[in-house]
CSV table of all heavy atoms in Angstrom, one decimal:
chain,number,residue,atom,x,y,z
A,166,VAL,N,27.8,-94.8,-4.3
A,166,VAL,CA,26.7,-93.8,-4.1
A,166,VAL,C,25.5,-94.5,-3.6
A,166,VAL,O,24.8,-94.0,-2.7
A,166,VAL,CB,26.4,-93.1,-5.5
A,166,VAL,CG1,25.1,-92.3,-5.4
A,166,VAL,CG2,27.5,-92.2,-5.9
A,167,ASP,N,25.2,-95.7,-4.0
A,167,ASP,CA,24.0,-96.5,-3.6
A,167,ASP,C,24.3,-97.2,-2.2
A,167,ASP,O,23.4,-97.8,-1.7
A,167,ASP,CB,23.7,-97.6,-4.6
A,167,ASP,CG,23.2,-97.0,-5.9
A,167,ASP,OD1,22.8,-95.8,-5.9
A,167,ASP,OD2,23.2,-97.7,-6.9
A,168,GLY,N,25.5,-97.0,-1.7
A,168,GLY,CA,25.7,-97.6,-0.4
A,168,GLY,C,26.1,-99.1,-0.4
A,168,GLY,O,26.1,-99.8,0.6
A,169,ARG,N,26.4,-99.6,-1.6
A,169,ARG,CA,26.8,-101.0,-1.8
A,169,ARG,C,28.3,-101.1,-1.7
A,169,ARG,O,29.0,-100.2,-1.9
A,169,ARG,CB,26.3,-101.6,-3.1
A,169,ARG,CG,24.8,-101.7,-3.2
A,169,ARG,CD,24.4,-102.3,-4.6
A,169,ARG,NE,24.6,-101.3,-5.6
A,169,ARG,CZ,24.5,-101.5,-6.9
A,169,ARG,NH1,24.3,-102.8,-7.3
A,169,ARG,NH2,24.6,-100.6,-7.8
A,170,PRO,N,28.8,-102.3,-1.3
A,170,PRO,CA,30.3,-102.5,-1.2
A,170,PRO,C,31.0,-102.3,-2.5
A,170,PRO,O,30.4,-102.5,-3.6
A,170,PRO,CB,30.4,-104.0,-0.8
A,170,PRO,CG,29.1,-104.4,-0.3
A,170,PRO,CD,28.1,-103.6,-1.0
A,171,GLU,N,32.2,-101.8,-2.5
A,171,GLU,CA,33.0,-101.6,-3.7
A,171,GLU,C,33.3,-103.0,-4.2
A,171,GLU,O,33.3,-104.0,-3.5
A,171,GLU,CB,34.3,-101.0,-3.4
A,171,GLU,CG,34.2,-99.5,-3.0
A,171,GLU,CD,35.6,-98.9,-3.0
A,171,GLU,OE1,36.6,-99.4,-3.4
A,171,GLU,OE2,35.7,-97.7,-2.4
A,172,PRO,N,33.5,-103.1,-5.6
A,172,PRO,CA,33.9,-104.4,-6.1
A,172,PRO,C,35.3,-104.8,-5.6
A,172,PRO,O,36.1,-103.9,-5.3
A,172,PRO,CB,33.8,-104.2,-7.6
A,172,PRO,CG,34.0,-102.7,-7.8
A,172,PRO,CD,33.3,-102.1,-6.6
A,173,ARG,N,35.5,-106.1,-5.6
A,173,ARG,CA,36.9,-106.6,-5.3
A,173,ARG,C,37.7,-106.6,-6.6
A,173,ARG,O,37.1,-106.9,-7.7
A,173,ARG,CB,36.8,-107.9,-4.6
A,173,ARG,CG,36.1,-107.9,-3.3
A,173,ARG,CD,36.0,-109.2,-2.6
A,173,ARG,NE,37.4,-109.6,-2.2
A,173,ARG,CZ,37.6,-110.8,-1.5
A,173,ARG,NH1,36.6,-111.6,-1.2
A,173,ARG,NH2,38.8,-111.1,-1.1
A,174,ARG,N,39.0,-106.3,-6.5
A,174,ARG,CA,39.9,-106.3,-7.6
A,174,ARG,C,40.9,-107.4,-7.6
A,174,ARG,O,41.5,-107.6,-6.5
A,174,ARG,CB,40.6,-105.0,-7.8
A,174,ARG,CG,39.7,-103.7,-8.0
A,174,ARG,CD,39.2,-103.2,-6.7
A,174,ARG,NE,38.7,-101.8,-6.8
A,174,ARG,CZ,38.2,-101.2,-5.8
A,174,ARG,NH1,38.0,-101.7,-4.6
A,174,ARG,NH2,37.7,-99.9,-6.0
A,175,ILE,N,41.0,-108.1,-8.6
A,175,ILE,CA,42.0,-109.2,-8.8
A,175,ILE,C,42.9,-108.8,-9.9
A,175,ILE,O,42.5,-108.7,-11.1
A,175,ILE,CB,41.4,-110.6,-9.0
A,175,ILE,CG1,40.4,-110.9,-7.9
A,175,ILE,CG2,42.5,-111.6,-9.1
A,175,ILE,CD1,39.6,-112.2,-8.1
A,176,LEU,N,44.2,-108.6,-9.7
A,176,LEU,CA,45.2,-108.3,-10.7
A,176,LEU,C,46.2,-109.4,-10.9
A,176,LEU,O,46.8,-109.9,-9.9
A,176,LEU,CB,45.9,-107.0,-10.4
A,176,LEU,CG,45.1,-105.7,-10.5
A,176,LEU,CD1,44.4,-105.4,-9.1
A,176,LEU,CD2,45.9,-104.5,-10.9
A,177,LEU,N,46.3,-109.9,-12.1
A,177,LEU,CA,47.1,-111.1,-12.4
A,177,LEU,C,48.2,-110.8,-13.4
A,177,LEU,O,47.9,-110.0,-14.4
A,177,LEU,CB,46.2,-112.2,-12.9
A,177,LEU,CG,45.0,-112.5,-12.1
A,177,LEU,CD1,44.1,-113.5,-12.8
A,177,LEU,CD2,45.3,-113.1,-10.7
A,178,ALA,N,49.3,-111.4,-13.3
A,178,ALA,CA,50.4,-111.2,-14.3
A,178,ALA,C,51.2,-112.4,-14.4
A,178,ALA,O,51.6,-113.0,-13.4
A,178,ALA,CB,51.2,-110.0,-14.0
A,179,ASN,N,51.5,-112.9,-15.6
A,179,ASN,CA,52.5,-114.0,-15.9
A,179,ASN,C,53.8,-113.4,-16.3
A,179,ASN,O,54.0,-113.0,-17.5
A,179,ASN,CB,52.0,-114.8,-17.0
A,179,ASN,CG,50.7,-115.6,-16.7
A,179,ASN,OD1,50.6,-116.2,-15.6
A,179,ASN,ND2,49.7,-115.5,-17.6
A,180,THR,N,54.7,-113.2,-15.4
A,180,THR,CA,56.0,-112.5,-15.8
A,180,THR,C,57.0,-112.7,-14.6
A,180,THR,O,56.7,-112.9,-13.5
A,180,THR,CB,55.8,-111.0,-16.0
A,180,THR,OG1,57.0,-110.5,-16.4
A,180,THR,CG2,55.3,-110.3,-14.8
A,181,ASP,N,58.3,-112.6,-15.0
A,181,ASP,CA,59.3,-112.5,-14.0
A,181,ASP,C,59.9,-111.0,-14.0
A,181,ASP,O,60.8,-110.7,-13.3
A,181,ASP,CB,60.5,-113.5,-14.3
A,181,ASP,CG,61.1,-113.3,-15.7
A,181,ASP,OD1,60.5,-112.5,-16.5
A,181,ASP,OD2,62.1,-113.9,-15.9
A,182,LYS,N,59.2,-110.1,-14.8
A,182,LYS,CA,59.6,-108.7,-14.9
A,182,LYS,C,58.6,-107.9,-14.0
A,182,LYS,O,57.5,-107.7,-14.4
A,182,LYS,CB,59.6,-108.2,-16.3
A,182,LYS,CG,60.3,-109.1,-17.3
A,182,LYS,CD,61.8,-109.1,-17.0
A,182,LYS,CE,62.6,-109.9,-18.1
A,182,LYS,NZ,64.0,-110.0,-17.8
A,183,ILE,N,59.0,-107.6,-12.8
A,183,ILE,CA,58.1,-107.0,-11.8
A,183,ILE,C,57.9,-105.6,-12.1
A,183,ILE,O,56.8,-105.0,-11.7
A,183,ILE,CB,58.7,-107.2,-10.4
A,183,ILE,CG1,58.8,-108.7,-10.1
A,183,ILE,CG2,57.9,-106.5,-9.4
A,183,ILE,CD1,57.5,-109.4,-10.0
A,184,HIS,N,58.8,-104.9,-12.8
A,184,HIS,CA,58.6,-103.4,-13.0
A,184,HIS,C,57.3,-103.2,-13.7
A,184,HIS,O,57.1,-103.6,-14.8
A,184,HIS,CB,59.8,-102.8,-13.7
A,184,HIS,CG,61.0,-102.9,-12.9
A,184,HIS,ND1,61.3,-101.9,-12.0
A,184,HIS,CD2,62.0,-103.8,-12.9
A,184,HIS,CE1,62.5,-102.2,-11.4
A,184,HIS,NE2,63.0,-103.3,-12.0
A,185,SER,N,56.4,-102.4,-13.1
A,185,SER,CA,55.0,-102.2,-13.6
A,185,SER,C,54.5,-100.8,-13.2
A,185,SER,O,54.7,-100.5,-12.0
A,185,SER,CB,54.1,-103.3,-13.1
A,185,SER,OG,52.8,-102.9,-13.1
A,186,GLU,N,53.9,-100.1,-14.1
A,186,GLU,CA,53.4,-98.8,-13.8
A,186,GLU,C,52.2,-98.9,-12.9
A,186,GLU,O,51.9,-98.0,-12.1
A,186,GLU,CB,53.0,-98.0,-15.0
A,186,GLU,CG,52.1,-98.7,-16.0
A,186,GLU,CD,52.2,-98.3,-17.4
A,186,GLU,OE1,51.5,-97.3,-17.8
A,186,GLU,OE2,52.9,-98.9,-18.2
Side-chain angles (χ1 to χ4, degrees):
V166 170
D167 293 343
R169 289 180 289 169
E171 290 190 16
R173 297 180 69 177
R174 297 87 164 174
I175 303 173
L176 291 89
L177 310 170
N179 294 313
T180 183
D181 59 351
K182 309 295 184 185
I183 297 295
H184 292 278
S185 157
E186 57 205 275

